[in-house]
Amino acid sequence: MRRAQRQAFWRHPATRTVLSFIGLSLLVVLTLQLGQYHRDWLSAKYPALRPHLAQLCAHTGCRIQPVLRLDDLQVESATLVRATSEGPDNYRLAVVVHNRADIELAWPHVDLTLTDDTGAVIARRAFAPADAEWLDTADAKAEAAPRSPAAQNSAEAGQLPAAAPADRSTTLLWHLRAPDIKPAGYTAELFYP
């Protein structure tokens, strides 16, 4: 008898309606949580979702930022040259960063390590992308691709774009002064702080 009552309870239309509503609510909450967690990637991959994600972030206190994926960024070349025209002990560091991803990525910092004749480290310094001058060195494939509105606006203003453009190479240039240091070699590596 109790078994029949329990089965009747779960088959009742009102019980099924309430359970369906609870299940649907949980699914919506899960979708919103996943959207918030993957907001940066979703915003970069599907720009049409950006306004909706911004609304979600307004309610939850999050921010939409460029995606951090260091594996898709590579140093194509790094050049450290003495800039004697700028004065003694002045150098220019030019690093060509290539974004291999199909979305814009956050700019990495550059770790410059100077070595002497024996290969021992004599100086090390990190350079922030915000302190760099930049030159867009897009290849022919990227030239044909349209720029994102953010990259286009910053390019017109002469500022570093908010993110490394997709499928593109960009030259970052820093000026530095290194008195009393005579480097024989150097390495430049990318990292996120």
Side-chain angles (χ1 to χ4, degrees):
M1 178 98 153
R2 287 185 183 177
R3 178 189 252 173
Q5 286 177 340
R6 271 188 263 150
Q7 287 178 350
F9 174 77
W10 292 112
R11 289 185 184 158
H12 193 272
T15 304
R16 288 190 175 216
T17 302
V18 169
L19 290 175
S20 297
F21 178 74
I22 291 171
L24 186 60
S25 298
L26 290 173
L27 185 63
V28 168
V29 168
L30 178 63
T31 302
L32 290 173
Q33 285 179 334
L34 286 172
Q36 182 186 11
Y37 184 75
H38 295 288
R39 67 188 174 273
D40 298 334
W41 181 82
L42 288 170
S43 175
K45 190 72 172 171
Y46 306 104
L49 291 177
R50 191 174 185 90
H52 303 292
L53 294 169
Q55 279 183 332
L56 178 63
C57 280
H59 294 295
T60 60
C62 62
R63 289 185 359 203
I64 298 174
Q65 298 177 335
V67 177
L68 300 173
R69 274 200 341 218
L70 197 57
D71 292 343
D72 286 330
L73 296 171
Q74 72 181 35
V75 175
E76 284 188 348
S77 67
T79 309
L80 181 68
V81 295
R82 186 180 296 272
T84 54
S85 63
E86 297 173 10
D89 301 323
N90 285 317
Y91 293 87
R92 225 179 280 138
L93 173 64
V95 179
V96 179
V97 178
H98 182 71
N99 178 1
R100 297 178 297 188
D102 61 348
I103 60 173
E104 293 181 344
L105 299 177
W107 287 109
H109 284 57
V110 174
D111 180 38
L112 176 67
T113 304
L114 302 176
T115 56
D116 63 9
D117 293 333
T118 63
V121 175
I122 56 174
R124 190 173 182 183
R125 180 174 168 197
F127 292 91
D131 300 333
E133 296 175 24
W134 75 285
L135 174 64
D136 195 9
T137 52
D139 55 27
K141 175 184 171 189
E143 282 295 325
R147 287 184 177 183
S148 71
Q152 194 166 8
N153 289 343
S154 59
E156 291 167 1
Q159 300 171 355
L160 185 70
D167 257 347
R168 209 174 270 264
S169 293
T170 305
T171 301
L172 301 176
L173 180 67
W174 290 273
H175 299 275
L176 61 138
R177 186 167 159 69
D180 303 326
I181 295 179
K182 304 295 182 225
Y186 62 91
T187 58
E189 296 178 2
L190 304 177
F191 73 99
Y192 285 126

